[in-house]
Amino acid sequence: MTEGHRTWIRPRELAWGNEAQRAVLHAIAEDVAKRTAHKVVALEVLRSDGYLEFVAIAGDEDARAKMMGQASPLELGHIRRLGQEMDGWWHVPNEVLDDTTRAWLDQYGHRPDVPASDLPDGWDPDDQLVRLLEDADGELRGLLYLDEPLSGLRPTPEVVAAINAEAGVLFEAIISIVERELYAEQVRMVNQARAAMRAIEPGQQLDDFLLEMSAAMVERMNVDTAEVVLRGDVLDQI
């Protein structure tokens, strides 16, 4: 596993959003499950650092224990390359998965311990049905997964149309919550950077200022490293 593609669990105090937001998204996931007749619903949201994080999983306690708070790189290639698009949803059937994709899903996903359906066009535990949640400008905000359909069948265009009719308003609610948290995190980072700058004694040499500013930002922003880039006439103001 490379450093760039490693699974890691965020400390709870650093997890996406707050307890109230996660509780709301969990309730929405449960509602989506009821409206769409699926046992399991999972939601990944896009964080400000460009990673995805599972923030709500309804209907599968094993999946919750494994994946809640787990971060993964933003990688949609296998969905678009192997999946069949249906009215905003992508169905990726088990039989088209290659070894690389299976390894990726083993690392970042969860395979339920249930048998494949023996019905014609039956659902397989390795099947995926995922919706890319995008805002009005087409910017990705999250991924919504439906699993273990109560019918035991793979989706059809008619089934997907019914899902959208029943739960479409909830998709917009999820996007709104994620966008508010992205904005709130940007505001927090700006405030943390300002607090770091106020903590630096003025009148220093440039090199000393940059070193102290970087250290102060690392401390206040809970990051491993911070780089301070100065442009324009900012140099004359230090």
Side-chain angles (χ1 to χ4, degrees), residues 83-158:
Q84 175 188 3
E85 197 275 336
M86 288 186 286
D87 199 8
W89 292 86
W90 292 82
H91 175 226
V92 185
N94 161 62
E95 58 268 19
V96 304
L97 298 178
D98 53 35
D99 291 343
T100 300
T101 303
R102 289 185 187 277
W104 176 272
L105 296 176
D106 287 343
Q107 180 176 342
Y108 295 111
H110 173 75
R111 187 183 192 277
D113 187 18
V114 295
S117 171
D118 57 4
L119 298 170
D121 293 324
W123 181 265
D124 186 275
D126 283 332
D127 282 0
Q128 280 193 306
L129 182 60
V130 56
R131 184 177 184 89
L132 309 185
L133 299 174
E134 299 175 338
D135 65 14
D137 296 323
E139 295 291 330
L140 183 71
R141 294 301 180 220
L143 281 73
L144 183 65
Y145 300 87
L146 304 185
D147 200 357
E148 298 186 50
L150 301 185
S151 68
L153 297 174
R154 285 177 165 173
T156 64
E158 293 75 19

Side-chain angles (χ1 to χ4, degrees), residues 26-36 58 167 170:
H26 183 77
I28 291 175
E30 289 183 328
D31 197 8
V32 170
K34 293 176 183 177
R35 295 185 184 215
T36 65
L170 300 179

